[in-house]
Amino acid sequence: MGRRRRQPHLAPLEKAIQWPVTVARNGKPFHHLAGVAFGRLTPVALGAPTDRGRTRWICRCSCGGAALVVTGDLIRGHAQSCGCEKRELAAQRGRENRKHGHATKRFGRSPEYISWCAMHQRCSSPKTRSFEHYGGRGIKVCEHWKSFEAFLEDVGPRPSLSHSIDRVEANGNYEPSNCRWATPSEQQTNKRPRAA
Ligand SMILES: [Zn+2]
């Protein structure tokens, strides 16, 4: 709704923006982000700055919510929703935990569940150390494997703790046709050539 009926005065600005657009403001460089979508968030106006004077944007979220976010978090992809995305994921994990019993307070997380979580983190969380080799290179987890149960059904039990999920085609995604459990030495034969 908000997306379709854009404010007329924002239209030319949006067209011109290849973010971040940097303009001078009070003698300092300033990233102009109004109208540019970052995940579910679209900054609509400047909000109150932080105590340390960092610029914050009032953002509209596609869920109808709102958030006040500093420029850097938007640009670096650290903030992609008002918090609704995290809540949805947490709710989904909660449902799954109750269903499959692979992550419980009493017994902890199963080896398969640990692999499943790590796979998602490598591909979707820029804060993960190895993100640049996975999500940062455009490698994704297929839609089907958002469900832990579907993942488990496709790959089966993890043979040992030295096995991890290996992608047969190194530039391919995490999906049933491209994945298997493999030990480090099995995976070694399958590395993409490293730049010297
Ligand atoms: Zn939201």
Side-chain angles (χ1 to χ4, degrees):
M1 295 175 306
R3 289 261 170 87
R4 293 232 173 104
R5 291 192 52 217
R6 282 183 170 141
Q7 299 294 318
H9 71 273
L10 277 180
L13 186 61
E14 275 183 62
K15 256 196 179 161
I17 278 180
Q18 286 287 334
W19 68 269
V21 158
T22 309
V23 295
R25 185 164 170 270
N26 301 333
K28 285 180 183 165
F30 171 74
H31 300 301
H32 205 310
L33 305 181
V36 186
F38 295 89
R40 299 182 185 185
L41 294 177
T42 306
V44 289
L46 280 173
T50 65
D51 291 344
R52 294 166 66 192
R54 292 164 77 195
T55 303
R56 279 194 292 197
W57 291 91
I58 300 169
C59 299
R60 203 183 289 132
C61 184
S62 61
C63 74
L68 191 58
V69 187
V70 296
T71 297
D73 283 350
L74 286 168
I75 290 176
R76 287 180 211 110
H78 293 170
Q80 304 229 1
S81 80
C82 69
C84 55
E85 202 168 10
K86 268 193 186 141
R87 284 193 297 276
E88 282 166 23
L89 272 174
Q92 163 144 13
R93 291 212 180 112
R95 275 197 298 278
E96 284 176 353
N97 294 352
R98 282 196 293 282
K99 273 193 299 195
H100 57 62
H102 276 251
T104 62
K105 262 209 167 120
R106 192 158 169 212
F107 300 109
R109 304 192 304 165
S110 73
E112 295 81 12
Y113 193 78
I114 291 169
S115 285
W116 179 77
C117 290
M119 169 180 81
H120 278 286
Q121 272 171 359
R122 287 195 292 273
C123 293
S124 64
S125 169
K127 286 179 188 167
T128 307
R129 210 157 33 120
S130 50
F131 176 79
E132 58 175 310
H133 302 299
Y134 296 89
R137 289 203 297 128
I139 288 167
K140 297 193 189 82
V141 179
C142 70
E143 199 62 28
H144 190 51
W145 282 2
K146 289 209 167 142
S147 149
F148 170 71
E149 283 169 321
F151 168 76
L152 186 63
E153 198 180 306
D154 287 336
V155 299
R158 187 165 156 187
S160 81
L161 278 178
S162 60
H163 282 76
S164 60
I165 279 290
D166 178 41
R167 281 165 305 122
V168 177
E169 164 52 52
N171 290 318
N173 290 328
Y174 284 100
E175 56 199 8
S177 60
N178 194 37
C179 289
R180 54 169 191 168
W181 292 114
T183 60
S185 61
E186 284 167 340
Q187 295 191 27
Q188 210 57 47
T189 57
N190 188 35
K191 283 269 176 282
R192 74 197 157 94
R194 277 185 186 273

Short mmCIF file of all heavy atoms in Angstrom, two decimals, residues 42-96:
data_model
loop_
_atom_site.label_atom_id
_atom_site.label_comp_id
_atom_site.label_asym_id
_atom_site.label_seq_id
_atom_site.Cartn_x
_atom_site.Cartn_y
_atom_site.Cartn_z
N THR A 42 11.66 0.80 5.07
CA THR A 42 11.85 1.95 4.18
C THR A 42 11.93 3.21 5.03
O THR A 42 10.97 3.57 5.69
CB THR A 42 10.68 2.09 3.18
OG1 THR A 42 10.51 0.85 2.50
CG2 THR A 42 10.98 3.18 2.17
N PRO A 43 13.11 3.85 5.04
CA PRO A 43 13.22 5.11 5.79
C PRO A 43 12.29 6.16 5.17
O PRO A 43 12.24 6.28 3.96
CB PRO A 43 14.68 5.52 5.59
CG PRO A 43 15.38 4.28 5.14
CD PRO A 43 14.37 3.45 4.42
N VAL A 44 11.54 6.84 6.03
CA VAL A 44 10.63 7.86 5.51
C VAL A 44 11.03 9.27 5.93
O VAL A 44 10.75 10.23 5.22
CB VAL A 44 9.16 7.59 5.93
CG1 VAL A 44 8.61 6.39 5.19
CG2 VAL A 44 9.03 7.39 7.43
N ALA A 45 11.69 9.38 7.07
CA ALA A 45 12.07 10.73 7.52
C ALA A 45 13.18 10.61 8.55
O ALA A 45 13.38 9.55 9.15
CB ALA A 45 10.87 11.43 8.14
N LEU A 46 13.88 11.70 8.77
CA LEU A 46 14.90 11.72 9.81
C LEU A 46 14.23 11.68 11.18
O LEU A 46 13.21 12.33 11.40
CB LEU A 46 15.73 13.00 9.70
CG LEU A 46 16.82 12.99 8.64
CD1 LEU A 46 17.43 14.38 8.54
CD2 LEU A 46 17.88 11.96 8.98
N GLY A 47 14.80 10.88 12.08
CA GLY A 47 14.29 10.85 13.45
C GLY A 47 15.28 11.51 14.39
O GLY A 47 16.27 12.08 13.94
N ALA A 48 15.02 11.42 15.68
CA ALA A 48 15.93 12.00 16.65
C ALA A 48 17.26 11.25 16.58
O ALA A 48 17.27 10.03 16.49
CB ALA A 48 15.33 11.87 18.05
N PRO A 49 18.38 11.97 16.60
CA PRO A 49 19.68 11.28 16.57
C PRO A 49 19.95 10.55 17.89
O PRO A 49 19.25 10.77 18.87
CB PRO A 49 20.68 12.43 16.37
CG PRO A 49 19.98 13.65 16.85
CD PRO A 49 18.52 13.43 16.67
N THR A 50 20.96 9.67 17.87
CA THR A 50 21.34 9.00 19.12
C THR A 50 22.02 10.00 20.04
O THR A 50 22.35 11.11 19.62
CB THR A 50 22.33 7.85 18.85
OG1 THR A 50 23.53 8.43 18.33
CG2 THR A 50 21.79 6.85 17.84
N ASP A 51 22.28 9.60 21.28
CA ASP A 51 22.95 10.48 22.23
C ASP A 51 24.30 10.94 21.70
O ASP A 51 24.76 12.03 22.00
CB ASP A 51 23.16 9.77 23.57
CG ASP A 51 21.83 9.53 24.28
OD1 ASP A 51 20.85 10.19 23.87
OD2 ASP A 51 21.78 8.70 25.20
N ARG A 52 24.95 10.05 20.92
CA ARG A 52 26.27 10.39 20.40
C ARG A 52 26.18 11.09 19.06
O ARG A 52 27.19 11.23 18.36
CB ARG A 52 27.13 9.14 20.31
CG ARG A 52 27.43 8.56 21.69
CD ARG A 52 27.96 7.16 21.60
NE ARG A 52 29.27 7.13 20.95
CZ ARG A 52 29.87 6.02 20.55
NH1 ARG A 52 29.26 4.86 20.71
NH2 ARG A 52 31.05 6.07 19.98
N GLY A 53 24.96 11.49 18.67
CA GLY A 53 24.81 12.31 17.48
C GLY A 53 24.75 11.54 16.18
O GLY A 53 24.89 12.12 15.11
N ARG A 54 24.54 10.22 16.24
CA ARG A 54 24.44 9.46 14.99
C ARG A 54 23.04 9.62 14.40
O ARG A 54 22.05 9.65 15.12
CB ARG A 54 24.75 7.98 15.24
CG ARG A 54 26.21 7.76 15.60
CD ARG A 54 26.41 6.42 16.22
NE ARG A 54 26.40 5.37 15.20
CZ ARG A 54 26.26 4.08 15.50
NH1 ARG A 54 26.07 3.71 16.74
NH2 ARG A 54 26.30 3.19 14.55
N THR A 55 23.01 9.72 13.07
CA THR A 55 21.75 9.94 12.38
C THR A 55 20.85 8.71 12.49
O THR A 55 21.29 7.59 12.30
CB THR A 55 22.03 10.21 10.88
OG1 THR A 55 22.90 11.33 10.81
CG2 THR A 55 20.74 10.49 10.13
N ARG A 56 19.59 8.95 12.79
CA ARG A 56 18.62 7.85 12.80
C ARG A 56 17.46 8.17 11.88
O ARG A 56 17.08 9.33 11.72
CB ARG A 56 18.08 7.63 14.22
CG ARG A 56 19.02 6.81 15.07
CD ARG A 56 18.36 6.30 16.32
NE ARG A 56 18.04 7.39 17.24
CZ ARG A 56 17.77 7.16 18.53
NH1 ARG A 56 17.78 5.95 19.02
NH2 ARG A 56 17.48 8.17 19.32
N TRP A 57 16.93 7.11 11.28
CA TRP A 57 15.80 7.25 10.36
C TRP A 57 14.55 6.62 10.94
O TRP A 57 14.60 5.54 11.53
CB TRP A 57 16.12 6.56 9.03
CG TRP A 57 17.20 7.27 8.26
CD1 TRP A 57 18.54 7.03 8.34
CD2 TRP A 57 17.02 8.34 7.34
NE1 TRP A 57 19.22 7.90 7.51
CE2 TRP A 57 18.31 8.70 6.89
CE3 TRP A 57 15.91 9.02 6.86
CZ2 TRP A 57 18.51 9.73 5.96
CZ3 TRP A 57 16.10 10.04 5.93
CH2 TRP A 57 17.40 10.39 5.49
N ILE A 58 13.45 7.33 10.76
CA ILE A 58 12.16 6.72 11.07
C ILE A 58 11.81 5.84 9.87
O ILE A 58 11.76 6.32 8.73
CB ILE A 58 11.07 7.79 11.25
CG1 ILE A 58 11.44 8.72 12.40
CG2 ILE A 58 9.70 7.14 11.48
CD1 ILE A 58 10.57 9.96 12.48
N CYS A 59 11.66 4.54 10.11
CA CYS A 59 11.44 3.61 9.01
C CYS A 59 10.06 2.98 9.11
O CYS A 59 9.61 2.63 10.20
CB CYS A 59 12.48 2.50 9.04
SG CYS A 59 14.16 3.10 8.89
N ARG A 60 9.44 2.84 7.94
CA ARG A 60 8.19 2.12 7.90
C ARG A 60 8.53 0.68 7.55
O ARG A 60 9.40 0.42 6.71
CB ARG A 60 7.31 2.73 6.80
CG ARG A 60 5.84 2.45 7.00
CD ARG A 60 5.03 3.01 5.86
NE ARG A 60 4.96 4.46 5.83
CZ ARG A 60 5.18 5.19 4.73
NH1 ARG A 60 5.52 4.60 3.60
NH2 ARG A 60 5.07 6.48 4.76
N CYS A 61 7.88 -0.27 8.23
CA CYS A 61 8.13 -1.68 7.96
C CYS A 61 6.95 -2.23 7.15
O CYS A 61 5.82 -1.77 7.31
CB CYS A 61 8.25 -2.43 9.29
SG CYS A 61 8.68 -4.15 9.10
N SER A 62 7.23 -3.20 6.29
CA SER A 62 6.17 -3.72 5.43
C SER A 62 5.07 -4.41 6.24
O SER A 62 3.98 -4.63 5.74
CB SER A 62 6.74 -4.67 4.39
OG SER A 62 7.34 -5.76 5.03
N CYS A 63 5.35 -4.75 7.51
CA CYS A 63 4.32 -5.38 8.34
C CYS A 63 3.36 -4.34 8.91
O CYS A 63 2.39 -4.68 9.56
CB CYS A 63 4.96 -6.15 9.49
SG CYS A 63 5.59 -5.10 10.80
N GLY A 64 3.68 -3.05 8.68
CA GLY A 64 2.83 -2.00 9.24
C GLY A 64 3.45 -1.37 10.47
O GLY A 64 2.99 -0.34 10.95
N GLY A 65 4.53 -1.97 10.96
CA GLY A 65 5.22 -1.43 12.13
C GLY A 65 6.17 -0.31 11.75
O GLY A 65 6.24 0.11 10.59
N ALA A 66 6.90 0.18 12.73
CA ALA A 66 7.86 1.25 12.50
C ALA A 66 9.10 1.00 13.34
O ALA A 66 9.07 0.22 14.29
CB ALA A 66 7.25 2.59 12.85
N ALA A 67 10.21 1.61 12.94
CA ALA A 67 11.44 1.46 13.70
C ALA A 67 12.29 2.69 13.52
O ALA A 67 12.20 3.39 12.51
CB ALA A 67 12.19 0.22 13.23
N LEU A 68 13.12 2.96 14.53
CA LEU A 68 14.07 4.07 14.48
C LEU A 68 15.46 3.44 14.35
O LEU A 68 15.90 2.74 15.26
CB LEU A 68 13.94 4.88 15.77
CG LEU A 68 14.61 6.23 15.87
CD1 LEU A 68 14.13 7.17 14.77
CD2 LEU A 68 14.33 6.85 17.24
N VAL A 69 16.12 3.66 13.22
CA VAL A 69 17.34 2.89 12.93
C VAL A 69 18.48 3.82 12.51
O VAL A 69 18.27 4.74 11.71
CB VAL A 69 17.08 1.87 11.79
CG1 VAL A 69 18.28 0.96 11.60
CG2 VAL A 69 15.84 1.04 12.07
N VAL A 70 19.69 3.57 13.02
CA VAL A 70 20.83 4.39 12.61
C VAL A 70 21.24 4.03 11.17
O VAL A 70 21.08 2.88 10.74
CB VAL A 70 22.07 4.26 13.55
CG1 VAL A 70 21.75 4.77 14.93
CG2 VAL A 70 22.58 2.85 13.58
N THR A 71 21.75 5.02 10.46
CA THR A 71 22.11 4.87 9.05
C THR A 71 22.98 3.63 8.80
O THR A 71 22.70 2.85 7.90
CB THR A 71 22.88 6.12 8.58
OG1 THR A 71 22.00 7.23 8.68
CG2 THR A 71 23.35 5.98 7.15
N GLY A 72 24.02 3.44 9.63
CA GLY A 72 24.97 2.36 9.40
C GLY A 72 24.30 0.98 9.44
O GLY A 72 24.65 0.10 8.66
N ASP A 73 23.34 0.80 10.33
CA ASP A 73 22.67 -0.49 10.45
C ASP A 73 21.84 -0.78 9.20
O ASP A 73 21.69 -1.94 8.80
CB ASP A 73 21.78 -0.54 11.70
CG ASP A 73 22.60 -0.74 12.96
OD1 ASP A 73 23.81 -1.03 12.83
OD2 ASP A 73 22.05 -0.60 14.06
N LEU A 74 21.29 0.26 8.59
CA LEU A 74 20.52 0.06 7.36
C LEU A 74 21.46 -0.32 6.22
O LEU A 74 21.26 -1.31 5.53
CB LEU A 74 19.78 1.35 6.99
CG LEU A 74 18.56 1.69 7.86
CD1 LEU A 74 18.11 3.11 7.59
CD2 LEU A 74 17.43 0.71 7.62
N ILE A 75 22.52 0.46 6.05
CA ILE A 75 23.42 0.26 4.92
C ILE A 75 24.12 -1.08 4.99
O ILE A 75 24.30 -1.76 4.00
CB ILE A 75 24.45 1.41 4.87
CG1 ILE A 75 23.74 2.70 4.46
CG2 ILE A 75 25.56 1.10 3.89
CD1 ILE A 75 24.64 3.90 4.46
N ARG A 76 24.49 -1.50 6.21
CA ARG A 76 25.22 -2.77 6.35
C ARG A 76 24.29 -3.97 6.44
O ARG A 76 24.74 -5.09 6.60
CB ARG A 76 26.12 -2.72 7.58
CG ARG A 76 27.30 -1.83 7.32
CD ARG A 76 28.24 -1.73 8.51
NE ARG A 76 28.85 -0.41 8.50
CZ ARG A 76 28.58 0.53 9.37
NH1 ARG A 76 27.74 0.32 10.36
NH2 ARG A 76 29.16 1.71 9.28
N GLY A 77 22.99 -3.74 6.39
CA GLY A 77 22.06 -4.86 6.38
C GLY A 77 21.82 -5.45 7.76
O GLY A 77 21.30 -6.55 7.88
N HIS A 78 22.22 -4.73 8.82
CA HIS A 78 22.00 -5.25 10.17
C HIS A 78 20.55 -5.09 10.63
O HIS A 78 20.11 -5.75 11.55
CB HIS A 78 22.93 -4.58 11.18
CG HIS A 78 24.37 -4.95 10.95
ND1 HIS A 78 25.40 -4.33 11.59
CD2 HIS A 78 24.94 -5.85 10.13
CE1 HIS A 78 26.56 -4.84 11.18
NE2 HIS A 78 26.29 -5.76 10.29
N ALA A 79 19.85 -4.15 10.00
CA ALA A 79 18.44 -3.96 10.35
C ALA A 79 17.62 -4.11 9.08
O ALA A 79 17.80 -3.37 8.13
CB ALA A 79 18.23 -2.57 10.95
N GLN A 80 16.79 -5.13 9.04
CA GLN A 80 16.01 -5.38 7.83
C GLN A 80 14.52 -5.41 8.11
O GLN A 80 13.72 -5.60 7.20
CB GLN A 80 16.42 -6.73 7.22
CG GLN A 80 17.90 -6.79 6.94
CD GLN A 80 18.21 -7.26 5.54
OE1 GLN A 80 17.31 -7.51 4.76
NE2 GLN A 80 19.47 -7.35 5.21
N SER A 81 14.15 -5.28 9.39
CA SER A 81 12.72 -5.23 9.71
C SER A 81 12.58 -4.53 11.04
O SER A 81 13.57 -4.23 11.71
CB SER A 81 12.12 -6.64 9.78
OG SER A 81 12.43 -7.23 11.03
N CYS A 82 11.33 -4.28 11.43
CA CYS A 82 11.09 -3.60 12.71
C CYS A 82 11.33 -4.54 13.87
O CYS A 82 11.21 -4.16 15.03
CB CYS A 82 9.66 -3.07 12.76
SG CYS A 82 8.43 -4.37 12.85
N GLY A 83 11.68 -5.80 13.56
CA GLY A 83 11.83 -6.83 14.59
C GLY A 83 10.85 -7.95 14.29
O GLY A 83 10.93 -9.03 14.88
N CYS A 84 9.95 -7.71 13.32
CA CYS A 84 8.92 -8.72 13.03
C CYS A 84 9.55 -9.97 12.42
O CYS A 84 9.13 -11.09 12.69
CB CYS A 84 7.86 -8.14 12.09
SG CYS A 84 8.50 -7.46 10.56
N GLU A 85 10.63 -9.77 11.61
CA GLU A 85 11.26 -10.93 10.97
C GLU A 85 11.85 -11.86 12.03
O GLU A 85 11.67 -13.07 11.97
CB GLU A 85 12.35 -10.43 10.04
CG GLU A 85 12.73 -11.40 8.96
CD GLU A 85 13.61 -10.73 7.90
OE1 GLU A 85 14.07 -9.59 8.11
OE2 GLU A 85 13.83 -11.35 6.88
N LYS A 86 12.54 -11.26 13.01
CA LYS A 86 13.12 -12.06 14.10
C LYS A 86 12.03 -12.77 14.88
O LYS A 86 12.17 -13.93 15.25
CB LYS A 86 13.93 -11.17 15.05
CG LYS A 86 15.37 -11.09 14.66
CD LYS A 86 16.20 -10.49 15.76
CE LYS A 86 17.61 -10.30 15.23
NZ LYS A 86 18.23 -9.07 15.66
N ARG A 87 10.96 -12.04 15.14
CA ARG A 87 9.86 -12.66 15.91
C ARG A 87 9.26 -13.82 15.13
O ARG A 87 8.97 -14.87 15.70
CB ARG A 87 8.79 -11.61 16.23
CG ARG A 87 9.19 -10.67 17.35
CD ARG A 87 8.00 -9.86 17.85
NE ARG A 87 7.44 -8.98 16.84
CZ ARG A 87 7.92 -7.77 16.55
NH1 ARG A 87 8.95 -7.30 17.20
NH2 ARG A 87 7.37 -7.03 15.62
N GLU A 88 9.11 -13.64 13.81
CA GLU A 88 8.54 -14.72 12.99
C GLU A 88 9.46 -15.94 13.02
O GLU A 88 8.99 -17.07 13.17
CB GLU A 88 8.37 -14.26 11.53
CG GLU A 88 7.16 -13.39 11.33
CD GLU A 88 7.19 -12.67 9.98
OE1 GLU A 88 7.89 -13.15 9.05
OE2 GLU A 88 6.52 -11.63 9.87
N LEU A 89 10.77 -15.70 12.88
CA LEU A 89 11.72 -16.81 12.88
C LEU A 89 11.72 -17.52 14.22
O LEU A 89 11.73 -18.75 14.29
CB LEU A 89 13.12 -16.30 12.58
CG LEU A 89 13.49 -16.22 11.10
CD1 LEU A 89 14.85 -15.57 10.93
CD2 LEU A 89 13.50 -17.61 10.48
N ALA A 90 11.71 -16.72 15.30
CA ALA A 90 11.73 -17.31 16.64
C ALA A 90 10.47 -18.14 16.85
O ALA A 90 10.53 -19.24 17.41
CB ALA A 90 11.83 -16.21 17.69
N ALA A 91 9.35 -17.64 16.37
CA ALA A 91 8.10 -18.38 16.55
C ALA A 91 8.16 -19.68 15.76
O ALA A 91 7.76 -20.73 16.25
CB ALA A 91 6.93 -17.53 16.07
N GLN A 92 8.72 -19.59 14.55
CA GLN A 92 8.83 -20.80 13.72
C GLN A 92 9.75 -21.82 14.39
O GLN A 92 9.43 -23.00 14.45
CB GLN A 92 9.38 -20.41 12.35
CG GLN A 92 9.91 -21.61 11.60
CD GLN A 92 9.64 -21.51 10.11
OE1 GLN A 92 9.28 -20.47 9.60
NE2 GLN A 92 9.81 -22.60 9.40
N ARG A 93 10.89 -21.33 14.90
CA ARG A 93 11.81 -22.26 15.58
C ARG A 93 11.13 -22.87 16.78
O ARG A 93 11.27 -24.05 17.05
CB ARG A 93 13.08 -21.54 16.01
CG ARG A 93 13.89 -21.16 14.81
CD ARG A 93 15.38 -21.16 15.06
NE ARG A 93 16.00 -20.77 13.80
CZ ARG A 93 16.65 -19.63 13.60
NH1 ARG A 93 16.82 -18.80 14.60
NH2 ARG A 93 17.15 -19.35 12.43
N GLY A 94 10.39 -22.03 17.52
CA GLY A 94 9.69 -22.53 18.71
C GLY A 94 8.76 -23.66 18.33
O GLY A 94 8.74 -24.71 18.96
N ARG A 95 8.01 -23.43 17.23
CA ARG A 95 7.07 -24.47 16.78
C ARG A 95 7.83 -25.72 16.41
O ARG A 95 7.45 -26.83 16.77
CB ARG A 95 6.28 -23.97 15.56
CG ARG A 95 5.06 -23.15 15.92
CD ARG A 95 4.12 -23.05 14.72
NE ARG A 95 4.73 -22.39 13.57
CZ ARG A 95 4.81 -21.07 13.42
NH1 ARG A 95 4.33 -20.28 14.36
NH2 ARG A 95 5.37 -20.53 12.35
N GLU A 96 8.95 -25.54 15.69
CA GLU A 96 9.69 -26.70 15.24
C GLU A 96 10.33 -27.45 16.41
O GLU A 96 10.35 -28.67 16.42
CB GLU A 96 10.75 -26.28 14.22
CG GLU A 96 10.09 -25.99 12.89
CD GLU A 96 11.05 -25.46 11.86
OE1 GLU A 96 12.21 -25.20 12.21
OE2 GLU A 96 10.62 -25.32 10.71
#
